[in-house]
Amino acid sequence: MDNSPTPKGFTLVELIIVIIILGIISTFAASRFAGTSSYSTFTAQEQAISVIRQIQVNRMQSNVSAANDSFRLAINSNCLGSVTACSLNLSNSAQKAQADARSDYVRESDISFSPANTIIDFDLLGNPSVSAGVNITINSNASSNSAQVCINSQGYVREGTCL
């Protein structure tokens, strides 16, 4: 008969495995509590680039001598998109449905755009009406994050500021 005492407790390997598992779980849990406010600015930046390019391409394909409001870019403090989409009243359900169907605007509750009250026309080659290019700043009202979008004088739209 073996009278040796049975070990009570955990081995070092078991403790290390449990600590690693807890670290992995806590990483995922912390990311859930951090929220999306830090990502909303950069998401709005990607959406803004997409909307600007969409309006620009629509203008180039329009083949009309004078642009209507669907082919003009409006930059307001709370909206970036076509003049038509940014002028719609989103509290009216019919106009909200019309704006959502168009999908040529970016409007988030905690995001603001500058320079505000600016309208940019594109010519048939996609060049903006502003010869020096346009810097658009996207600010988060919930955090201190900001992002830039550049439309240079040749109509190239990219992240960052124009040089």
Side-chain angles (χ1 to χ4, degrees):
M1 195 167 179
D2 186 18
N3 288 340
S4 64
T6 58
K8 296 180 180 171
F10 300 105
T11 64
L12 183 60
V13 173
E14 291 171 333
L15 287 174
I16 290 174
I17 291 173
V18 168
I19 289 171
I20 290 172
I21 291 172
L22 286 175
I24 292 170
I25 291 172
S26 65
T27 302
F28 286 115
S31 67
R32 294 295 233 156
F33 291 114
T36 59
S37 64
S38 61
Y39 299 110
S40 64
T41 306
F42 302 106
T43 303
Q45 180 186 34
E46 293 298 322
Q47 289 175 338
I49 291 171
S50 176
V51 165
I52 293 167
R53 287 179 181 162
Q54 178 183 353
I55 293 169
Q56 185 181 36
V57 167
N58 288 344
R59 172 63 178 125
M60 290 169 26
Q61 293 175 345
S62 69
N63 206 18
V64 294
S65 59
N68 66 22
D69 284 345
S70 294
F71 306 136
R72 300 171 73 203
L73 178 66
I75 305 169
N76 298 325
S77 61
N78 64 345
C79 181
L80 181 137
S82 70
V83 172
T84 305
C86 284
S87 65
L88 294 174
N89 181 5
L90 296 186
S91 61
N92 181 337
S93 60
Q95 288 189 357
K96 180 167 180 9
Q98 181 184 1
D100 290 341
R102 296 177 57 90
S103 71
D104 60 349
Y105 71 98
V106 179
R107 188 182 304 217
E108 298 291 332
S109 60
D110 64 338
I111 297 292
S112 63
F113 302 96
S114 63
N117 303 322
T118 304
I119 294 178
I120 300 169
D121 291 318
F122 292 101
D123 63 14
L124 289 174
L125 297 174
N127 299 329
S129 57
V130 181
S131 62
V134 180
N135 282 313
I136 301 169
T137 304
I138 304 166
N139 293 312
S140 172
N141 301 332
S143 66
S144 62
N145 293 335
S146 68
Q148 269 76 37
V149 174
C150 169
I151 307 172
N152 74 7
S153 59
Q154 274 72 46
Y156 181 67
V157 181
R158 65 175 179 82
E159 297 175 357
T161 58
C162 296
L163 301 175

